[in-house]
Amino acid sequence: SSKRLKIGSAASSTSVTKTIRVPYGSLVPFSEANFWAYRSGYVETNTLTGTQEFVGAVLVPVGATIVTVRAHQYRLTSTGALLADTVFSRLTDSGGQVALASLTHDSTGGWQTKASSAMTEAVTTGLTYHITVDLRATTGNTADSRWSYLEVDYSVPDYLTAL
C-alpha cells in the first residue's frame, strides 16, 4: 500500500480589514498665512475670515486595498458659510493627484462622521495618500468649524488562513 503526504493547502482568498486613524495633530497648515488652534481633541480655525486649509499624510501599506474612509468633523449649524470638508487623494511618483473621496459635513450641526462610498483602491509601489482639510468659521466664534480625525479602512490577505 502507498501513502500520500499532503504538504500545505490551497491558498485562501480571505482577508482581514484593518483601520488607520489619522488624528488632528497630524495635520499641518497649508501655508504660513493660515490661522489655526489645536485644542483637546480637534483643530479649529483661529480666524473668522477665509477658509483655512490643512494637509496631512496618510500612510497605507503597499499590498493593501483601501475600502472606505471616514472624517469626523464639526460645524455649529448648517446655515451660513460654515465649512468642514476633507478630501482624500492619491499621489503618484510623477506628481499626479487624484481625489478619491470628498467628505463634506452636511448635517444640521454638531459633530458628524462622514463616510465615503465603498472603494477598491489597490495600494501599489509609487503611490502615496494624503488629506486636505478646509475649515471656515464665520458666525462669530472660531470654534464653529472643527476637525478631529480621519479613518481609513483597508483589507490585506489573511496570511494565517492562506498557509
Side-chain angles (χ1 to χ4, degrees):
S1 98
S2 66
K3 296 189 179 196
R4 296 174 94 180
L5 177 62
K6 184 177 178 183
I7 299 175
S9 60
S12 171
S13 62
T14 62
S15 62
V16 175
T17 300
K18 299 184 176 197
T19 301
I20 296 171
R21 181 175 275 201
V22 180
Y24 68 98
S26 299
L27 297 180
V28 295
F30 183 72
S31 78
E32 67 277 358
N34 280 58
F35 298 96
W36 72 95
Y38 289 105
R39 304 291 185 208
S40 180
Y42 59 89
V43 62
E44 68 184 26
T45 65
N46 203 17
T47 182
L48 295 175
T49 58
T51 299
Q52 305 303 302
E53 188 172 30
F54 305 87
V55 294
V58 181
L59 305 176
V60 185
V62 170
T65 300
I66 299 169
V67 295
T68 191
V69 294
R70 291 178 298 280
H72 191 62
Q73 306 168 110
Y74 175 92
R75 65 182 185 159
L76 181 65
T77 68
S78 60
T79 59
L82 289 174
L83 176 69
D85 180 61
T86 303
V87 176
F88 177 74
S89 299
R90 173 195 330 122
L91 304 173
T92 64
D93 281 346
S94 60
Q97 177 175 333
V98 176
L100 300 174
S102 181
L103 309 168
T104 302
H105 188 300
D106 59 3
S107 76
T108 57
W111 286 102
Q112 180 187 39
T113 302
K114 185 75 175 188
S116 68
S117 55
M119 44 178 30
T120 54
E121 171 70 15
V123 181
T124 60
T125 302
L127 298 179
T128 57
Y129 298 88
H130 84 268
I131 51 175
T132 304
V133 175
D134 290 331
L135 298 175
R136 184 173 52 240
T138 60
T139 62
N141 185 342
T142 58
D144 288 350
S145 181
R146 309 173 197 167
W147 191 90
S148 184
Y149 62 82
L150 177 89
E151 289 181 330
V152 177
D153 289 345
Y154 66 94
S155 64
V156 291
D158 184 354
Y159 294 108
L160 290 177
T161 61
L163 296 177

